[in-house]
Amino acid sequence: MKNILVTGGTGFIGSHTVLELLIQNYRVTVIDNLSNSKLESLKRVEKLTRKNAHFEHIDLLDVKALELLFQSSHFDAVIHFAGLKAVGESVEQPLKYYKNNISGTVNLCEAMNKAGIKNLVFSSSATVYGDPDSSPIPEKSPLKAVNPYGRTKLTIEYILRELHTSDNSWNVALLRYFNPVGAHESGEIGEDPNGIPNNLMPFITQVAIGKLKELNVFGGDYPTHDGTGIRDYIHVSDLAAGHIRALKKLEEKPGLVVYNLGTGKGSSVMDVIKAFEKASGKKIPYKITPRRPGDAAVCYADVSKANQELNWQTKRDLEDMCRDAWNWQQKNPNGYP
Ligand code: WQD
């Protein structure tokens, strides 16, 4: 497998995965509608690797453009990141999420099918576990959507599962990400959210750089060691490496496989604040505020299946994640130009 199409490859996880693919000598084509990312990320990936990726400005809703792409190029596999991913926005604009995430994926799979390309790595999410009863969470746990964003991810998992059932020459890897954070160690690429960050780590880095005044800790009364929510934060570079392993797994023609990509460790909001202060030397002012509706108390992965079947282990700890997130933010106070 040499020629890889990456949808959404200019985004946070996409750009880190494209970097890893280029380092491992894959030939990469990136398509992205640039609605939530900048082409600058790909330019930096090329500078870091001194290798080129081919880029096409394509929206997955543009069926004609997809058809032309698959007619003009051959791919051995597709890694599919492209999708909207803001939980709050999905509650306000569910149709935008269903159209963009689900119709976009159906268009992609139809174009792949027509071109006889049936190897797909899909960017799923731990959000498909809903509000888990317990952690660590194994892949066989019950699945439940708790917001439109999560429902698009779960629906796409079902679509891909049924596509494989209808034609078992499809090889699909569903990768359920826990909480991707951090940045490439160079600080050249990283997380570049639009507007005020919804997620914890980019909010903290913007407090540290002085763009935001203080962190609101959503809830201090959860049944956890310090009352704050627990998540499984995973370094984006470890996550990227997991995608390369999943590609290699598809070469074994495994059919449909599902893996949690996390560290298997839970960290509370206070743990993250402390680790960040230690890694950056910056004090993070915060105040405890009421819980955010829909938040689970505790959510972290059972990663034994990915460890064994993908021969993949995370290498970076919470302090590495904080150090690299801070390094990126310091070098790019306003994100990508
Ligand atoms: C982490 C923890 C918050 C912000 C979401 C999506 C998930 C995935 C990752 C796409 C929680 C607390 C947060 C803040 C806080 N995205 N927090 N103050 O909600 O676990 O997961 O992002 O796939 O699908 O649901 O991530 O970073 O928003 O929150 O106290 O300003 O930090 O309560 O405990 P979350 P998060």
Side-chain angles (χ1 to χ4, degrees):
M1 242 181 239
K2 285 306 289 171
N3 298 312
I4 309 299
L5 172 66
V6 180
T7 77
T10 59
F12 175 39
I13 303 162
S15 56
H16 285 79
T17 304
V18 169
L19 181 135
E20 199 56 41
L21 287 165
L22 292 175
I23 287 172
Q24 299 204 26
N25 294 318
Y26 287 92
R27 287 162 52 83
V28 178
T29 296
V30 171
I31 59 173
D32 205 301
N33 68 4
L34 300 177
S35 67
N36 200 17
S37 58
K38 303 256 177 59
L39 193 52
E40 175 65 16
S41 63
L42 193 54
K43 292 193 178 355
R44 296 198 181 176
V45 166
E46 293 183 323
K47 198 174 76 177
L48 283 168
T49 57
R50 285 194 287 281
K51 294 186 179 172
N52 289 329
H54 178 63
F55 176 76
E56 301 258 359
H57 189 179
I58 291 177
D59 189 313
L60 293 181
L61 298 180
D62 183 345
V63 175
K64 195 72 201 130
L66 270 179
E67 200 171 326
L68 289 173
L69 173 75
F70 280 89
Q71 280 167 2
S72 62
S73 320
H74 170 73
F75 306 110
D76 298 306
V78 177
I79 304 180
H80 177 33
F81 292 106
L84 297 174
K85 59 161 197 152
V87 170
E89 186 188 48
S90 81
V91 174
E92 289 155 18
Q93 305 179 59
L95 287 181
K96 179 179 177 183
Y97 273 67
Y98 289 124
K99 185 153 180 232
N100 192 80
N101 291 4
I102 297 177
S103 304
T105 302
V106 171
N107 292 346
L108 173 68
C109 290
E110 284 187 327
M112 289 174 67
N113 221 12
K114 203 167 167 190
I117 298 163
K118 300 181 177 180
N119 294 311
L120 176 65
V121 176
F122 174 59
S123 161
S124 190
S125 166
T127 197
V128 301
Y129 296 118
D131 183 355
D133 299 335
S134 65
S135 281
I137 307 169
E139 286 83 354
K140 61 183 187 311
S141 300
L143 304 180
K144 183 160 56 75
V146 289
N147 54 61
Y149 161 74
R151 198 173 316 283
T152 66
K153 289 296 185 184
L154 186 51
T155 304
I156 293 166
E157 285 203 8
Y158 285 126
I159 289 171
L160 297 176
R161 199 178 285 280
E162 287 151 1
L163 178 56
H164 166 69
T165 306
S166 73
D167 170 0
N168 61 21
S169 64
W170 274 87
N171 298 290
V172 176
L174 305 178
L175 304 184
R176 293 173 180 164
Y177 310 157
F178 279 70
N179 287 62
V181 295
H184 184 257
E185 60 193 8
S186 66
E188 287 298 307
I189 56 174
E191 189 168 8
D192 184 19
N194 288 331
I196 307 277
N198 300 309
N199 296 132
L200 179 66
M201 189 65 86
F203 199 105
I204 287 178
T205 59
Q206 290 196 17
V207 169
I209 198 113
K211 285 184 82 172
L212 295 170
K213 193 166 78 66
E214 68 178 355
L215 171 71
N216 296 314
V217 175
F218 298 148
D221 58 350
Y222 283 108
T224 61
H225 62 278
D226 59 22
T228 63
I230 287 177
R231 295 291 184 276
D232 185 333
Y233 298 95
I234 174 173
H235 196 291
V236 63
S237 297
D238 282 332
L239 190 58
H243 286 73
I244 312 303
R245 295 287 186 186
L247 273 184
K248 294 188 188 316
K249 186 72 184 175
L250 292 189
E251 289 192 277
E252 299 165 17
K253 302 200 178 309
L256 186 128
V257 288
V258 190
Y259 299 109
N260 289 334
L261 294 188
T263 62
K265 294 184 199 67
S267 302
S268 73
V269 176
M270 294 314 294
D271 293 336
V272 175
I273 293 173
K274 289 188 190 92
F276 188 88
E277 290 181 337
K278 189 169 172 220
S280 66
K282 288 284 189 181
K283 196 89 188 86
I284 300 298
Y286 67 88
K287 66 174 188 291
I288 306 284
T289 62
R291 297 181 180 188
R292 179 171 64 177
D295 270 359
V298 180
C299 177
Y300 59 90
D302 173 342
V303 291
S304 51
K305 193 171 173 236
N307 293 160
Q308 284 144 28
E309 295 185 17
L310 295 182
N311 185 22
W312 168 83
Q313 300 277 346
T314 52
K315 298 191 183 92
R316 295 142 177 112
D317 65 15
L318 188 60
E319 216 173 299
D320 297 327
M321 298 175 211
C322 292
R323 183 199 61 231
D324 292 341
W326 175 232
N327 184 36
W328 149 257
Q329 186 74 84
Q330 274 190 298
K331 289 186 165 184
N332 305 273
N334 298 309
Y336 291 115

